[in-house]
Structure formats: C-alpha cells, structure tokens
Amino acid sequence: MNKLLIIIDMQKDFIDGALGTKEAQSIVDNVVNKIDNFDGSIIATMDTHRDDYMETREGRFLPVPHCIKNTAGWEIDQSVMSALKRKGFKLVEKPTFGSVELPKLIKEKYNPEKLSVELVGLCTDICVVSNAMLLKAAFPEMDISIDSSCCAGVTPEKHEAALETMRSCQIEVK
C-alpha cells in the first residue's frame, strides 16, 4: 500500500497572521515532525487568493483579506517549508476551501485502490474537512485519515465538530 500525506494550508495567515490562532501555532512542530517521519509521497496545498478577494463570495462572508498570492501571509510557514523541502513534495494552489485538483492529481499519479491518504493542517473545520470529503466522494474505498494532533480549527469547538463529521463519514481520526 502506497502512502500519501496531504498538508493543508500551513500558511502564515492561518498560523500567526490575519486569521492566526494560538491553536494553529501549537500544531506547527507536530506537522514538521509528521513530515520528517513520513514514509511516502507528500502534497501541500496553499489557499490562494487574488487582490480582488473582498469582491469574491468568500470575501463577502469572511471579510478578512488573507493568503493573497505573493504576500508574506500566503507563504507556507518557514519550518514547515523546510521540512517539505527535505522530503520533496508537490504543491497545489487552491482558490477555495477544497481542491477539485486533488482527486484528479491522485487519479493521474497514483493507483487510488492501493493508496492510503492522511491529511493534516488548517483549518480543520473549513479546508481540512472540505478536502477530506472531496477525496472520500471521489474514492469511497480509499483509506483516508486525519491526524487530529496536526490540525487546528477556527476554534477548539469547531475543530472537534469537524473531526466528528469526518468520523461520521468513515474517515479515520487519529
């Protein structure tokens, strides 16, 4: 069985920038350790918005500019990026919560029937759950798991609610 680790949006704006939280800051070392000790392929996603973010639907519902391409907040955390570079990874930019490119990429590059996928990152209740559900819908028989010690939600309560939602959808929560 091949293994794939997907690092979701470990970007400065979600850690200690525009939308940062102490919970997000607290998982950075866990994510670095996860990457360093992972034996398999790695994909990292980046939430990527343009200067017109405030005119988008997301910008109207979440009026906090964040992850604007080529800004400091858009960058992946330096310690996470260093770990990714040590291991090698594929980068996927995504303009919204879930990446419709992930299932396509997995289907092209891997044999989904012989692949287990683990997701970690930010935010559990928005982008992590969105990507996990997209993958579950695309590959219902695939082993998909979440390492909850390497995830943080907008709030601790929303983190737990998202984990419970994923458990309900037969995604293993570690």
Side-chain angles (χ1 to χ4, degrees):
M1 176 85 51
N2 293 319
K3 293 165 52 173
L4 175 63
L5 178 63
I6 302 177
I7 310 295
I8 304 291
D9 301 354
M10 288 298 295
Q11 293 161 269
K12 296 284 291 165
D13 270 346
F14 292 126
I15 297 170
D16 57 9
L19 296 171
T21 64
K22 67 181 189 297
E23 291 83 13
Q25 293 169 33
S26 75
I27 69 161
V28 172
D29 289 342
N30 294 352
V31 172
V32 169
N33 288 333
K34 174 68 72 174
I35 294 166
D36 284 340
N37 293 303
F38 188 75
D39 184 24
S41 300
I42 300 175
I43 294 174
T45 70
M46 291 180 78
D47 194 44
T48 303
H49 300 293
R50 300 178 309 183
D51 290 332
D52 69 347
Y53 172 77
M54 293 300 286
E55 285 88 54
T56 67
R57 180 172 178 81
E58 181 180 332
R60 289 189 300 273
F61 281 85
L62 178 62
V64 179
H66 64 281
C67 297
I68 307 299
K69 188 168 183 156
N70 298 323
T71 64
W74 176 71
E75 298 293 329
I76 293 176
D77 174 84
Q78 187 174 356
S79 60
V80 173
M81 181 55 85
S82 293
L84 288 169
K85 286 179 178 177
R86 286 192 295 273
K87 295 295 266 200
F89 68 103
K90 167 82 173 146
L91 184 65
V92 174
E93 291 182 20
K94 56 184 192 54
T96 189
F97 311 127
S99 171
V100 295
E101 297 303 315
L102 277 178
K104 291 177 192 174
L105 179 62
I106 288 170
K107 197 170 194 176
E108 290 171 5
K109 191 167 172 139
Y110 307 96
N111 179 350
E113 294 174 8
K114 296 183 179 181
L115 184 68
S116 68
V117 175
E118 183 172 16
L119 291 92
V120 301
L122 301 168
C123 295
T124 318
D125 51 313
I126 302 173
C127 294
V128 175
V129 70
S130 294
N131 285 287
M133 297 303 249
L134 279 168
L135 293 175
K136 187 65 175 171
F139 309 110
E141 296 300 319
M142 180 185 288
D143 290 336
I144 301 172
S145 64
I146 307 295
D147 184 338
S148 62
S149 72
C150 294
C151 295
V154 173
T155 66
E157 296 79 16
K158 289 185 176 190
H159 168 77
E160 289 300 327
L163 294 175
E164 190 55 39
T165 296
M166 289 184 278
R167 280 186 194 99
S168 295
C169 293
Q170 302 171 359
I171 295 168
E172 180 185 1
V173 177
K174 300 176 185 177

